[in-house]
């Protein structure tokens, strides 16, 4: 059940299928390019980064 | 009706509301949200988020048929999205996506994605709206998707193309920047990017088309979970790589200013002597640049607010804070000549900077080399700035650059024929104007410079 206390936007709901498809292609091609670069040895090493990956580390979340 | 007195910013979501009791932040949950709350608690979902530092921690303090009351960890000072630097904004956006992914993996979803659900605490962004979660319904699109675009993605992309000032727009658009506006402001070439085209331009077009459409088609819209993961991950990767194209207003400030190494060390020595004597738990540094002087303090403070007008300085401070894993530092962007106003319904949804800093009441305010900017760039008379500085802190440390200082000379020269208007800018009139509000406890000239440090105590 959702509480409709703000308008999610009808267009925004419908469009998500299209965006997801585009996102899928983008993700796939980026991954592929990265793999090719790694294979050719031209992928950049990860520099100091203050932001981590999207995934919450399993080791932390599993012992809930 | 609500039994307790709800916080003036907490009325949008019917699931519950925030109230303040005996100085503690509490959250009442209405029966309409009991089912969700129980599932979120019993499945260990809340615990997982809290353990990973993504959600502010809470404990249940009472539980009845009418209401469940939670008490949340208290955050000493809330910063708002329009006060974040570019990388702070990025961190908040990434946190939202991370939480949404984690939620989906546990069959929950974020039912809203406003930027005001996040603030900075103990050196990192944290989600503060405990009741923003709902059950995930199989094959349903993300309801908060548009909100994410108007609160996070849009402003960040605008800042990338037009500078960090764009991030301040949320103070005018508390519900997010209209998609159509974001789309119209982006350069034409962004239409060639599949990701920007679909998430912004196409979204703007479709929103416009369905603007007057009230048939309940939204319910019919379908999106697989995999599809939603794709959207979230592609946005995450894009935002993570997004950078600003501008250089700092101050640049390498400490290389440019007229401080010899000795003067710099001396300034820090004097400030340390004074701060050590007062032993403050809290302080605010107005015009604190990248936090250099606060980091030089020997005395440990629990919370140090370090604000600066320049986005890049705050960004640098944020980065340093992350690298050092500092918890006491709270950087944010603030123009002291135009501090954040109170906004929202009744002007009480988001508080002004002055209201918040008065509640925080830092024991010491540092105002190092800002008085000449306030007085000469901002045309603010000494009387008015003294009134401002005396309104929230007991002690104020002010660094006063004399007329002979080269920065002051530069600012005066820029006034051209109006220069005589600033004849009052002298150490004598400074002392007499500030003397009306403060007792001068200490005064020391920094050797090898044209600058004087004051320790002032507010007259009660």
């Amino acid at each position: 059940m959702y509480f409709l206390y703000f308008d999610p936007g009808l267009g925004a709901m419908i469009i998500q299928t299209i965006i997801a498809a585009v996102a899928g292609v983008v993700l796939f091609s980026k991954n592929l390019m990265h793999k090719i670069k790694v294979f050719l040895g031209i992928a950049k090493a990860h520099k100091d980064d203050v932001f981590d990956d999207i995934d919450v580390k399993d080791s932390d979340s599993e012992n809930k | 009706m609500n039994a307790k007195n709800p916080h003036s910013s907490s009325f949008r979501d019917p699931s519950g509301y925030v109230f303040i009791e005996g100085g503690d932040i509490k959250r009442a949950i209405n029966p309409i949200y009991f089912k969700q709350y129980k599932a979120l608690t019993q499945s260990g979902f809340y615990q997982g988020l809290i353990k990973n530092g993504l959600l502010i921690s809470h404990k249940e303090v009472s539980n009845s048929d009418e209401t469940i009351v939670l008490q949340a960890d208290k955050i000493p000072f809330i910063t708002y999205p329009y006060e974040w630097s570019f990388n702070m904004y990025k961190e908040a956006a990434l946190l939202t996506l991370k939480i949404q992914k984690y939620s989906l993996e546990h069959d929950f979803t974020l039912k809203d994605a406003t930027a005001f659900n996040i603030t900075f605490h103990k050196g990192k962004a944290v989600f503060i709206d405990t009741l923003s979660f709902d059950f995930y319904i199989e094959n349903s699109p993300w309801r908060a998707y548009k909100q994410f675009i108007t609160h996070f993605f849009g402003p960040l992309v605008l800042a990338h193309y037009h500078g960090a000032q764009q991030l301040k727009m949320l103070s005018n658009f508390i519900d997010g920047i209209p998609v159509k506006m974001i789309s119209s402001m982006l350069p034409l070439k962004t239409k060639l990017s599949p990701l920007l085209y679909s998430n912004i331009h196409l979204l703007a077009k479709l929103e416009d088309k369905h603007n007057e459409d009230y048939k309940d088609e939204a319910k019919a819209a379908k999106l697989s979970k995999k599809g939603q993961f794709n959207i979230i991950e592609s946005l995450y990767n894009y935002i993570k790589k997004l950078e600003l194209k501008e250089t700092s207003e101050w640049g390498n400030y400490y290389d440019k200013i007229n401080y010899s190494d000795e003067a710099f060390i001396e300034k820090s020595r004097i400030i340390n002597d004074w701060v050590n004597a007062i032993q403050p738990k809290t302080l605010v540094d107005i015009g604190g640049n990248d936090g250099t002087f606060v980091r030089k303090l020997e005395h440990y403070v629990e919370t140090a607010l370090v604000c600066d007008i320049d986005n890049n300085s705050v960004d640098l401070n944020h980065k340093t804070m992350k690298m050092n894993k500092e918890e006491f530092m709270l950087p944010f962007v603030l123009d002291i000549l135009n501090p954040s106003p109170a906004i929202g319904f009744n002007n009480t949804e988001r508080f002004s900077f002055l209201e918040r800093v008065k509640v925080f009441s830092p024991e010491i305010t540092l105002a190092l080399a800002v008085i000449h900017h306030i007085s000469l760039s901002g045309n603010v008379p000494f009387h008015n700035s003294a009134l401002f500085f005396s309104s929230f802190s007991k002690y104020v440390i002010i660094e006063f650059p004399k007329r002979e200082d080269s920065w002051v000379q530069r600012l005066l020269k820029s006034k051209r024929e109006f220069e005589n208007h600033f004849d009052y800018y002298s150490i004598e009139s400074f002392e007499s104007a500030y003397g009306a509000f403060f007792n001068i406890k200490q005064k020391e000239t920094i050797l090898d410079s044209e600058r004087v440090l004051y320790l002032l105590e507010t007259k009660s």
Side-chain angles (χ1 to χ4, degrees), chain A residues 1-27 30-31 46-64, chain B residues 12-15 32 44 51-52 54 87 90-91 98 101-102 106 111-112 134-135 141-143 145-147 194 198-199 202-203 207 210 217-218 221-223 227 230-232 234 236-237 240 322-323:
Chain A
M1 174 190 42
Y2 288 125
F3 312 124
L4 291 163
Y5 62 93
F6 74 92
D7 175 20
L10 179 52
M13 297 294 272
I14 297 169
I15 198 188
Q16 286 185 47
T17 336
I18 304 167
I19 295 169
V22 174
V25 175
V26 169
L27 285 173
K30 286 259 158 80
N31 272 339
H46 281 290
K47 52 179 181 178
D48 286 349
D49 210 342
V50 287
F51 303 112
D52 47 2
D53 279 340
I54 188 166
D55 290 306
V56 176
K57 285 179 195 75
D58 284 341
S59 56
D60 298 336
S61 55
E62 260 165 20
N63 45 18
K64 347 177 196 191
Chain B
R12 288 176 190 244
D13 184 354
S15 310
I32 190 174
K51 224 175 228 169
N52 284 291
L54 308 180
N87 276 293
K90 248 173 85 167
E91 189 184 338
K98 193 184 245 190
K101 186 172 184 214
Y102 186 80
H106 294 79
K111 63 183 182 181
D112 56 43
D134 210 327
F135 299 115
W142 187 18
R143 269 181 53 85
Y145 164 76
K146 185 182 156 195
Q147 227 179 10
S198 58
N199 282 286
L202 193 63
L203 175 65
E207 277 292 283
H210 292 281
E217 284 178 53
K222 289 233 183 303
L223 177 71
N230 282 352
I231 296 180
I232 295 165
S234 63
Y236 192 97
N237 295 344
K240 196 177 162 186
K322 287 273 164 202
M323 294 296 180

Side-chain angles (χ1 to χ4, degrees), chain B residues 4 17 27-31 34 62-69:
Chain B
K4 313 251 174 11
Y17 57 94
R27 197 180 279 280
I29 302 172
N30 297 327
F34 279 5
S62 75
N63 192 330
S64 73
D65 287 347
E66 292 92 50
T67 178
I68 298 174
V69 177

Side-chain angles (χ1 to χ4, degrees), chain B residues 105-131:
Chain B
E105 284 165 350
H106 294 79
D107 276 324
F108 292 106
T109 183
L110 276 177
K111 63 183 182 181
D112 56 43
T114 126
F116 295 98
N117 276 347
I118 290 177
T119 197
F120 283 78
H121 181 47
K122 292 191 172 166
K124 59 183 181 174
V126 64
F127 200 82
I128 51 174
D129 189 2
T130 314
L131 310 188

Side-chain angles (χ1 to χ4, degrees), chain B residues 249-250 253 257 287 309 335-337 368-380 382 385 399 401 405 407-408 410-411 415 422 424-425 451:
Chain B
E249 176 174 337
W250 304 112
Y253 177 70
I257 48 163
I309 187 172
D335 177 2
I336 207 61
L337 295 172
L368 307 176
V370 283
I371 185 73
H372 55 313
H373 289 289
I374 298 176
S375 310
L376 302 177
S377 313
N379 293 10
V380 178
F382 284 144
S385 60
E399 179 187 11
D405 182 86
W407 260 94
V408 175
R410 215 175 98 181
L411 289 170
K415 297 290 178 180
F422 296 94
Y424 77 87
Y425 188 88
R451 300 180 166 205

Side-chain angles (χ1 to χ4, degrees), chain B residues 77 340-343 347-348 350-360:
Chain B
F77 187 90
S340 321
I343 61 165
N347 281 152
T348 54
R350 312 290 164 220
F351 300 116
S352 73
F353 167 72
L354 212 59
E355 286 171 290
R356 280 173 289 148
V357 81
K358 276 179 186 165
V359 172
F360 178 68

